[in-house]
PDB file of all heavy atoms in Angstrom:
ATOM      1  N   PHE K   1     -58.845   1.869 -24.296  1.00 95.00           N
ATOM      2  CA  PHE K   1     -57.774   0.957 -24.774  1.00 95.00           C
ATOM      3  C   PHE K   1     -57.524   1.058 -26.208  1.00 95.00           C
ATOM      4  O   PHE K   1     -56.348   0.975 -26.671  1.00 95.00           O
ATOM      5  CB  PHE K   1     -58.027  -0.445 -24.340  1.00 95.00           C
ATOM      6  CG  PHE K   1     -56.752  -1.241 -24.384  1.00 95.00           C
ATOM      7  CD1 PHE K   1     -55.765  -1.148 -23.436  1.00 95.00           C
ATOM      8  CD2 PHE K   1     -56.550  -2.185 -25.382  1.00 95.00           C
ATOM      9  CE1 PHE K   1     -54.619  -1.981 -23.513  1.00 95.00           C
ATOM     10  CE2 PHE K   1     -55.448  -3.014 -25.364  1.00 95.00           C
ATOM     11  CZ  PHE K   1     -54.463  -2.918 -24.448  1.00 95.00           C
ATOM     12  N   ARG K   2     -58.478   1.315 -27.021  1.00 94.00           N
ATOM     13  CA  ARG K   2     -58.340   1.455 -28.556  1.00 94.00           C
ATOM     14  C   ARG K   2     -57.462   2.709 -28.783  1.00 94.00           C
ATOM     15  O   ARG K   2     -56.565   2.644 -29.627  1.00 94.00           O
ATOM     16  CB  ARG K   2     -59.709   1.605 -29.156  1.00 94.00           C
ATOM     17  CG  ARG K   2     -60.435   0.349 -29.498  1.00 94.00           C
ATOM     18  CD  ARG K   2     -61.757   0.650 -30.054  1.00 94.00           C
ATOM     19  NE  ARG K   2     -62.465  -0.569 -30.446  1.00 94.00           N
ATOM     20  CZ  ARG K   2     -62.421  -1.021 -31.613  1.00 94.00           C
ATOM     21  NH1 ARG K   2     -61.639  -0.596 -32.571  1.00 94.00           N
ATOM     22  NH2 ARG K   2     -63.085  -2.195 -31.924  1.00 94.00           N
ATOM     23  N   SER K   3     -57.686   3.759 -27.951  1.00 95.00           N
ATOM     24  CA  SER K   3     -56.933   4.993 -28.238  1.00 95.00           C
ATOM     25  C   SER K   3     -55.443   4.707 -27.822  1.00 95.00           C
ATOM     26  O   SER K   3     -54.426   5.173 -28.344  1.00 95.00           O
ATOM     27  CB  SER K   3     -57.531   6.181 -27.479  1.00 95.00           C
ATOM     28  OG  SER K   3     -58.838   6.509 -27.866  1.00 95.00           O
ATOM     29  N   ILE K   4     -55.266   3.965 -26.754  1.00 95.00           N
ATOM     30  CA  ILE K   4     -53.875   3.679 -26.259  1.00 95.00           C
ATOM     31  C   ILE K   4     -53.270   2.899 -27.235  1.00 95.00           C
ATOM     32  O   ILE K   4     -51.978   3.156 -27.632  1.00 95.00           O
ATOM     33  CB  ILE K   4     -54.056   2.819 -24.914  1.00 95.00           C
ATOM     34  CG1 ILE K   4     -54.393   3.746 -23.724  1.00 95.00           C
ATOM     35  CG2 ILE K   4     -52.768   2.120 -24.632  1.00 95.00           C
ATOM     36  CD1 ILE K   4     -53.294   4.683 -23.306  1.00 95.00           C
ATOM     37  N   CYS K   5     -53.918   1.944 -27.954  1.00 94.00           N
ATOM     38  CA  CYS K   5     -53.248   1.178 -29.044  1.00 94.00           C
ATOM     39  C   CYS K   5     -52.936   2.063 -30.246  1.00 94.00           C
ATOM     40  O   CYS K   5     -51.846   1.954 -30.863  1.00 94.00           O
ATOM     41  CB  CYS K   5     -54.163   0.114 -29.540  1.00 94.00           C
ATOM     42  SG  CYS K   5     -54.352  -1.275 -28.390  1.00 94.00           S
ATOM     43  N   SER K   6     -53.854   3.015 -30.639  1.00 94.00           N
ATOM     44  CA  SER K   6     -53.600   3.935 -31.682  1.00 94.00           C
ATOM     45  C   SER K   6     -52.409   4.785 -31.526  1.00 94.00           C
ATOM     46  O   SER K   6     -51.675   5.184 -32.363  1.00 94.00           O
ATOM     47  CB  SER K   6     -54.860   4.716 -32.045  1.00 94.00           C
ATOM     48  OG  SER K   6     -55.035   5.710 -30.978  1.00 94.00           O
ATOM     49  N   LEU K   7     -52.072   5.097 -30.234  1.00 93.00           N
ATOM     50  CA  LEU K   7     -51.037   5.937 -29.842  1.00 93.00           C
ATOM     51  C   LEU K   7     -49.693   5.071 -29.756  1.00 93.00           C
ATOM     52  O   LEU K   7     -48.626   5.604 -29.372  1.00 93.00           O
ATOM     53  CB  LEU K   7     -51.229   6.613 -28.612  1.00 93.00           C
ATOM     54  CG  LEU K   7     -52.315   7.760 -28.700  1.00 93.00           C
ATOM     55  CD1 LEU K   7     -52.666   8.261 -27.237  1.00 93.00           C
ATOM     56  CD2 LEU K   7     -51.926   8.923 -29.537  1.00 93.00           C
ATOM     57  N   GLY K   8     -49.844   3.669 -29.743  1.00 93.00           N
ATOM     58  CA  GLY K   8     -48.722   2.798 -29.568  1.00 93.00           C
ATOM     59  C   GLY K   8     -48.204   2.826 -28.094  1.00 93.00           C
ATOM     60  O   GLY K   8     -47.069   2.494 -27.890  1.00 93.00           O
ATOM     61  N   GLU K   9     -49.190   2.972 -27.107  1.00 93.00           N
ATOM     62  CA  GLU K   9     -48.669   2.948 -25.769  1.00 93.00           C
ATOM     63  C   GLU K   9     -49.196   1.774 -24.921  1.00 93.00           C
ATOM     64  O   GLU K   9     -48.975   1.790 -23.734  1.00 93.00           O
ATOM     65  CB  GLU K   9     -49.367   4.186 -25.161  1.00 93.00           C
ATOM     66  CG  GLU K   9     -48.824   5.682 -25.742  1.00 93.00           C
ATOM     67  CD  GLU K   9     -49.552   6.823 -25.148  1.00 93.00           C
ATOM     68  OE1 GLU K   9     -50.350   6.622 -24.256  1.00 93.00           O
ATOM     69  OE2 GLU K   9     -49.274   7.889 -25.584  1.00 93.00           O
ATOM     70  N   GLU K  10     -49.687   0.751 -25.664  1.00 93.00           N
ATOM     71  CA  GLU K  10     -50.324  -0.334 -24.853  1.00 93.00           C
ATOM     72  C   GLU K  10     -49.210  -1.011 -24.079  1.00 93.00           C
ATOM     73  O   GLU K  10     -49.503  -1.538 -22.918  1.00 93.00           O
ATOM     74  CB  GLU K  10     -50.962  -1.327 -25.840  1.00 93.00           C
ATOM     75  CG  GLU K  10     -50.193  -1.949 -26.883  1.00 93.00           C
ATOM     76  CD  GLU K  10     -50.085  -1.252 -28.090  1.00 93.00           C
ATOM     77  OE1 GLU K  10     -50.341  -0.038 -28.020  1.00 93.00           O
ATOM     78  OE2 GLU K  10     -49.880  -1.895 -29.175  1.00 93.00           O
ATOM     79  N   ALA K  11     -48.018  -1.256 -24.681  1.00 91.00           N
ATOM     80  CA  ALA K  11     -46.953  -1.939 -23.890  1.00 91.00           C
ATOM     81  C   ALA K  11     -46.596  -1.155 -22.623  1.00 91.00           C
ATOM     82  O   ALA K  11     -46.380  -1.600 -21.437  1.00 91.00           O
ATOM     83  CB  ALA K  11     -45.739  -2.241 -24.709  1.00 91.00           C
ATOM     84  N   HIS K  12     -46.493   0.173 -22.791  1.00 90.00           N
ATOM     85  CA  HIS K  12     -46.111   1.002 -21.612  1.00 90.00           C
ATOM     86  C   HIS K  12     -47.212   1.047 -20.698  1.00 90.00           C
ATOM     87  O   HIS K  12     -47.124   0.938 -19.452  1.00 90.00           O
ATOM     88  CB  HIS K  12     -45.910   2.518 -22.117  1.00 90.00           C
ATOM     89  CG  HIS K  12     -45.540   3.513 -21.151  1.00 90.00           C
ATOM     90  ND1 HIS K  12     -44.269   3.499 -20.594  1.00 90.00           N
ATOM     91  CD2 HIS K  12     -46.341   4.403 -20.392  1.00 90.00           C
ATOM     92  CE1 HIS K  12     -44.320   4.295 -19.618  1.00 90.00           C
ATOM     93  NE2 HIS K  12     -45.477   4.845 -19.525  1.00 90.00           N
ATOM     94  N   LEU K  13     -48.499   1.078 -21.020  1.00 94.00           N
ATOM     95  CA  LEU K  13     -49.639   1.069 -20.126  1.00 94.00           C
ATOM     96  C   LEU K  13     -49.533  -0.284 -19.318  1.00 94.00           C
ATOM     97  O   LEU K  13     -49.722  -0.259 -18.127  1.00 94.00           O
ATOM     98  CB  LEU K  13     -50.919   1.107 -20.855  1.00 94.00           C
ATOM     99  CG  LEU K  13     -52.239   0.868 -19.968  1.00 94.00           C
ATOM    100  CD1 LEU K  13     -52.363   1.827 -18.926  1.00 94.00           C
ATOM    101  CD2 LEU K  13     -53.429   0.755 -20.964  1.00 94.00           C
ATOM    102  N   ASN K  14     -49.444  -1.464 -19.989  1.00 92.00           N
ATOM    103  CA  ASN K  14     -49.436  -2.674 -19.390  1.00 92.00           C
ATOM    104  C   ASN K  14     -48.253  -2.766 -18.357  1.00 92.00           C
ATOM    105  O   ASN K  14     -48.382  -3.328 -17.254  1.00 92.00           O
ATOM    106  CB  ASN K  14     -49.308  -3.749 -20.362  1.00 92.00           C
ATOM    107  CG  ASN K  14     -50.585  -4.013 -21.191  1.00 92.00           C
ATOM    108  OD1 ASN K  14     -51.572  -3.604 -20.762  1.00 92.00           O
ATOM    109  ND2 ASN K  14     -50.491  -4.564 -22.386  1.00 92.00           N
ATOM    110  N   THR K  15     -47.065  -2.228 -18.704  1.00 90.00           N
ATOM    111  CA  THR K  15     -45.968  -2.383 -17.692  1.00 90.00           C
ATOM    112  C   THR K  15     -46.133  -1.467 -16.582  1.00 90.00           C
ATOM    113  O   THR K  15     -45.995  -1.940 -15.340  1.00 90.00           O
ATOM    114  CB  THR K  15     -44.650  -1.849 -18.468  1.00 90.00           C
ATOM    115  OG1 THR K  15     -44.498  -2.661 -19.660  1.00 90.00           O
ATOM    116  CG2 THR K  15     -43.436  -2.029 -17.527  1.00 90.00           C
ATOM    117  N   CYS K  16     -46.755  -0.255 -16.774  1.00 92.00           N
ATOM    118  CA  CYS K  16     -46.974   0.567 -15.608  1.00 92.00           C
ATOM    119  C   CYS K  16     -48.048  -0.100 -14.664  1.00 92.00           C
ATOM    120  O   CYS K  16     -47.871   0.003 -13.509  1.00 92.00           O
ATOM    121  CB  CYS K  16     -47.458   1.982 -16.069  1.00 92.00           C
ATOM    122  SG  CYS K  16     -46.273   3.036 -16.810  1.00 92.00           S
ATOM    123  N   PHE K  17     -49.112  -0.581 -15.224  1.00 96.00           N
ATOM    124  CA  PHE K  17     -50.085  -1.164 -14.451  1.00 96.00           C
ATOM    125  C   PHE K  17     -49.665  -2.501 -13.733  1.00 96.00           C
ATOM    126  O   PHE K  17     -50.042  -2.631 -12.600  1.00 96.00           O
ATOM    127  CB  PHE K  17     -51.353  -1.500 -15.340  1.00 96.00           C
ATOM    128  CG  PHE K  17     -52.452  -2.052 -14.510  1.00 96.00           C
ATOM    129  CD1 PHE K  17     -53.086  -1.379 -13.574  1.00 96.00           C
ATOM    130  CD2 PHE K  17     -52.972  -3.448 -14.727  1.00 96.00           C
ATOM    131  CE1 PHE K  17     -54.303  -1.894 -12.692  1.00 96.00           C
ATOM    132  CE2 PHE K  17     -53.962  -3.922 -14.027  1.00 96.00           C
ATOM    133  CZ  PHE K  17     -54.632  -3.143 -13.050  1.00 96.00           C
ATOM    134  N   LYS K  18     -48.911  -3.307 -14.492  1.00 93.00           N
ATOM    135  CA  LYS K  18     -48.316  -4.496 -13.815  1.00 93.00           C
ATOM    136  C   LYS K  18     -47.407  -4.091 -12.577  1.00 93.00           C
ATOM    137  O   LYS K  18     -47.572  -4.670 -11.446  1.00 93.00           O
ATOM    138  CB  LYS K  18     -47.506  -5.221 -14.838  1.00 93.00           C
ATOM    139  CG  LYS K  18     -46.923  -6.580 -14.224  1.00 93.00           C
ATOM    140  CD  LYS K  18     -46.300  -7.355 -15.372  1.00 93.00           C
ATOM    141  CE  LYS K  18     -45.881  -8.883 -14.961  1.00 93.00           C
ATOM    142  NZ  LYS K  18     -45.237  -9.522 -16.065  1.00 93.00           N
ATOM    143  N   HIS K  19     -46.665  -3.018 -12.727  1.00 93.00           N
ATOM    144  CA  HIS K  19     -45.736  -2.563 -11.669  1.00 93.00           C
ATOM    145  C   HIS K  19     -46.688  -2.113 -10.439  1.00 93.00           C
ATOM    146  O   HIS K  19     -46.454  -2.368  -9.297  1.00 93.00           O
ATOM    147  CB  HIS K  19     -44.819  -1.475 -12.219  1.00 93.00           C
ATOM    148  CG  HIS K  19     -43.910  -0.841 -11.082  1.00 93.00           C
ATOM    149  ND1 HIS K  19     -43.178   0.339 -11.319  1.00 93.00           N
ATOM    150  CD2 HIS K  19     -43.419  -1.392 -10.011  1.00 93.00           C
ATOM    151  CE1 HIS K  19     -42.455   0.576 -10.243  1.00 93.00           C
ATOM    152  NE2 HIS K  19     -42.557  -0.446  -9.507  1.00 93.00           N
ATOM    153  N   PHE K  20     -47.662  -1.330 -10.881  1.00 96.00           N
ATOM    154  CA  PHE K  20     -48.570  -0.846  -9.798  1.00 96.00           C
ATOM    155  C   PHE K  20     -49.313  -1.930  -9.118  1.00 96.00           C
ATOM    156  O   PHE K  20     -49.314  -1.907  -7.867  1.00 96.00           O
ATOM    157  CB  PHE K  20     -49.722   0.059 -10.611  1.00 96.00           C
ATOM    158  CG  PHE K  20     -50.727   0.665  -9.669  1.00 96.00           C
ATOM    159  CD1 PHE K  20     -50.617   1.893  -9.005  1.00 96.00           C
ATOM    160  CD2 PHE K  20     -51.965  -0.122  -9.442  1.00 96.00           C
ATOM    161  CE1 PHE K  20     -51.624   2.371  -8.242  1.00 96.00           C
ATOM    162  CE2 PHE K  20     -53.007   0.494  -8.711  1.00 96.00           C
ATOM    163  CZ  PHE K  20     -52.785   1.635  -8.067  1.00 96.00           C
ATOM    164  N   MET K  21     -49.713  -2.852  -9.654  1.00 96.00           N
ATOM    165  CA  MET K  21     -50.420  -4.061  -9.060  1.00 96.00           C
ATOM    166  C   MET K  21     -49.454  -4.854  -8.241  1.00 96.00           C
ATOM    167  O   MET K  21     -49.854  -5.304  -7.223  1.00 96.00           O
ATOM    168  CB  MET K  21     -51.108  -4.888 -10.045  1.00 96.00           C
ATOM    169  CG  MET K  21     -52.332  -4.327 -10.685  1.00 96.00           C
ATOM    170  SD  MET K  21     -53.427  -3.722  -9.360  1.00 96.00           S
ATOM    171  CE  MET K  21     -53.621  -5.119  -8.291  1.00 96.00           C
ATOM    172  N   TYR K  22     -48.273  -5.001  -8.686  1.00 95.00           N
ATOM    173  CA  TYR K  22     -47.326  -5.841  -7.836  1.00 95.00           C
ATOM    174  C   TYR K  22     -47.015  -5.085  -6.531  1.00 95.00           C
ATOM    175  O   TYR K  22     -46.983  -5.654  -5.416  1.00 95.00           O
ATOM    176  CB  TYR K  22     -45.992  -5.952  -8.570  1.00 95.00           C
ATOM    177  CG  TYR K  22     -45.814  -7.322  -9.349  1.00 95.00           C
ATOM    178  CD1 TYR K  22     -45.556  -7.245 -10.733  1.00 95.00           C
ATOM    179  CD2 TYR K  22     -45.944  -8.545  -8.819  1.00 95.00           C
ATOM    180  CE1 TYR K  22     -45.500  -8.502 -11.486  1.00 95.00           C
ATOM    181  CE2 TYR K  22     -45.845  -9.765  -9.511  1.00 95.00           C
ATOM    182  CZ  TYR K  22     -45.673  -9.597 -10.862  1.00 95.00           C
ATOM    183  OH  TYR K  22     -45.493 -10.836 -11.585  1.00 95.00           O
ATOM    184  N   PHE K  23     -46.937  -3.778  -6.612  1.00 96.00           N
ATOM    185  CA  PHE K  23     -46.674  -2.991  -5.463  1.00 96.00           C
ATOM    186  C   PHE K  23     -47.854  -2.947  -4.575  1.00 96.00           C
ATOM    187  O   PHE K  23     -47.899  -3.199  -3.400  1.00 96.00           O
ATOM    188  CB  PHE K  23     -46.307  -1.490  -5.753  1.00 96.00           C
ATOM    189  CG  PHE K  23     -45.778  -0.758  -4.678  1.00 96.00           C
ATOM    190  CD1 PHE K  23     -44.358  -0.738  -4.362  1.00 96.00           C
ATOM    191  CD2 PHE K  23     -46.585   0.061  -3.887  1.00 96.00           C
ATOM    192  CE1 PHE K  23     -43.826  -0.037  -3.334  1.00 96.00           C
ATOM    193  CE2 PHE K  23     -46.125   0.757  -2.803  1.00 96.00           C
ATOM    194  CZ  PHE K  23     -44.732   0.698  -2.560  1.00 96.00           C
ATOM    195  N   THR K  24     -49.116  -2.860  -5.196  1.00 97.00           N
ATOM    196  CA  THR K  24     -50.346  -2.945  -4.406  1.00 97.00           C
ATOM    197  C   THR K  24     -50.579  -4.222  -3.666  1.00 97.00           C
ATOM    198  O   THR K  24     -50.898  -4.150  -2.412  1.00 97.00           O
ATOM    199  CB  THR K  24     -51.482  -2.709  -5.405  1.00 97.00           C
ATOM    200  OG1 THR K  24     -51.448  -1.428  -5.902  1.00 97.00           O
ATOM    201  CG2 THR K  24     -52.771  -2.915  -4.668  1.00 97.00           C
ATOM    202  N   GLN K  25     -50.246  -5.319  -4.271  1.00 96.00           N
ATOM    203  CA  GLN K  25     -50.439  -6.576  -3.550  1.00 96.00           C
ATOM    204  C   GLN K  25     -49.342  -6.776  -2.500  1.00 96.00           C
ATOM    205  O   GLN K  25     -49.661  -7.420  -1.563  1.00 96.00           O
ATOM    206  CB  GLN K  25     -50.350  -7.731  -4.668  1.00 96.00           C
ATOM    207  CG  GLN K  25     -51.547  -7.704  -5.574  1.00 96.00           C
ATOM    208  CD  GLN K  25     -51.543  -8.931  -6.599  1.00 96.00           C
ATOM    209  OE1 GLN K  25     -50.554  -9.523  -6.800  1.00 96.00           O
ATOM    210  NE2 GLN K  25     -52.678  -9.117  -7.224  1.00 96.00           N
ATOM    211  N   ALA K  26     -48.120  -6.285  -2.826  1.00 95.00           N
ATOM    212  CA  ALA K  26     -47.142  -6.463  -1.857  1.00 95.00           C
ATOM    213  C   ALA K  26     -47.439  -5.823  -0.562  1.00 95.00           C
ATOM    214  O   ALA K  26     -46.951  -6.402   0.515  1.00 95.00           O
ATOM    215  CB  ALA K  26     -45.796  -5.964  -2.373  1.00 95.00           C
TER     216      ALA K  26
END
């Protein structure tokens, strides 16, 4: 996660994972 932050990708990671989890739960 530190590397993700250093690349400025944390918002993108969180959005992708949130979408993944909504679909997984549905």
Side-chain angles (χ1 to χ4, degrees):
F1 197 72
R2 281 177 174 270
S3 297
I4 286 287
C5 289
S6 74
L7 295 171
E9 295 174 4
E10 63 272 23
H12 180 78
L13 169 64
N14 289 338
T15 302
C16 287
F17 182 63
K18 185 174 183 178
H19 184 198
F20 178 87
M21 284 310 308
Y22 269 120
F23 194 87
T24 294
Q25 292 185 346

